Amino acid sequence: MSSYRPIAVTAVLTPLLLAGCGTDEARTPTSDAATETPAATPEATTATGAVPEGVAAQYATLTEEVGAEGGRTSSGDWEVAYIVEPAEPWFETTDGEPVRREPAAGETHHLEIIPIEAATGRIVPDVPIHLEVLDDTGEVVDEKELMFFNAEFFHYAHNFSIPAEGDYTLRASLQPPEFTRHGESLEELTLLEPVTVTFEEVRLEPGD
C-alpha cells in the first residue's frame, strides 16, 4: 500500500471484499466462537448500473493485500481481516491543517484491521478497535487503539513496535459500532455484540 494515506472519519463501502480473500497457510486465524467461512461472490452491479470504477478498484486492492499480507476470520455478525505492512506515515490535523506524521523511532510495523458486516460484506465505520500483539509466551509486546484511515480502501490501523523477528498472535477486540441505526425492530439490528478475534502464527519481520 502507498505510504501517502490521509486519515478520514467515516465511510461505508459496497460488498466486494469477500470475493477471493485468501489466507497464508502459515497464519492461522481463530476467534472466540469463530468459524471460517467461504468467500462470497456478491453481484458486481447495482440497480443503477455498474459499480463505480473507484469502488471496484479499492476492493480489488483490499482483496489482493489480505491474500498476500494477511488473513481473515469470522465470528457472529462479523467478518474480520488483517494486513501486516512496514511502519507508515500519515496525515494528522493540527490547527485545522493536515500535517504529515512520519513513523516514530522504534515503530516497525503498520498493522491493519478491517471489520466487515458478514451479512452484507460492507466495511463497518465507527468501530472502536483495540489491537494487541502477543509473543509466543502470551506476553503483550505492544497494543494500540486503532485509528480509522482513508486510503486505497478504508481500514483501521496504527504503527506498532515489535521487538524481534518471530511468530506473533494478533488479538483484535471490536466494540459495537457507535453510529445511530435505522430499523423497524430491535430484532433486525446487527453488530450489537462486541467480539474478540485472534490471528495466530503471524510472522513479523523487520521490513515487513
Side-chain angles (χ1 to χ4, degrees):
M1 187 180 297
S2 169
S3 62
Y4 297 91
R5 341 170 70 166
I7 188 167
V9 294
T10 185
V12 176
L13 303 180
T14 53
L16 300 179
L17 168 66
L18 301 182
C21 285
T23 304
D24 188 336
E25 291 182 358
R27 299 167 175 171
T28 306
T30 61
S31 69
D32 296 348
T35 55
E36 193 71 22
T37 56
T41 308
E43 294 295 328
T45 60
T46 67
T48 57
V51 170
E53 181 178 349
V55 175
Q58 69 183 349
Y59 272 97
T61 301
L62 177 54
T63 297
E64 178 182 356
E65 292 197 13
V66 170
E69 303 170 335
R72 65 183 181 88
T73 191
S74 61
S75 182
D77 293 335
W78 299 90
E79 185 90 12
V80 183
Y82 79 94
I83 296 170
V84 173
E85 295 182 333
E88 295 185 350
W90 57 73
F91 286 91
E92 299 178 334
T93 301
T94 303
D95 297 328
E97 297 294 332
V99 176
R100 184 177 170 88
R101 186 261 194 202
E102 298 294 336
E107 292 181 344
T108 59
H109 294 78
H110 189 73
L111 302 182
E112 304 181 1
I113 295 292
I114 304 94
I116 303 148
E117 185 179 36
T120 65
R122 297 180 297 182
I123 295 175
V124 185
D126 291 343
V127 180
I129 302 177
H130 184 78
L131 181 60
E132 300 168 289
V133 182
L134 293 77
D135 64 17
D136 58 5
T137 70
E139 179 181 356
V140 176
V141 299
D142 201 0
E143 56 184 313
K144 297 283 178 63
E145 301 295 331
L146 301 189
M147 301 179 291
F148 190 47
F149 280 84
N150 174 15
E152 292 90 342
F153 48 84
F154 295 100
H155 63 277
Y156 299 75
H158 211 299
N159 284 350
F160 286 74
S161 299
I162 306 304
E165 176 182 340
D167 292 333
Y168 292 85
T169 294
L170 306 183
R171 183 164 64 199
S173 298
L174 288 67
Q175 298 301 315
E178 298 178 341
F179 48 61
T180 304
R181 304 163 186 266
H182 281 296
E184 298 299 325
S185 66
L186 178 63
E187 287 71 22
E188 71 183 56
L189 302 183
T190 63
L191 305 172
L192 295 177
E193 299 296 329
V195 65
T196 296
V197 299
T198 59
F199 299 95
E200 298 177 350
E201 298 181 8
V202 177
R203 190 72 178 177
L204 299 179
E205 303 176 355
D208 274 353

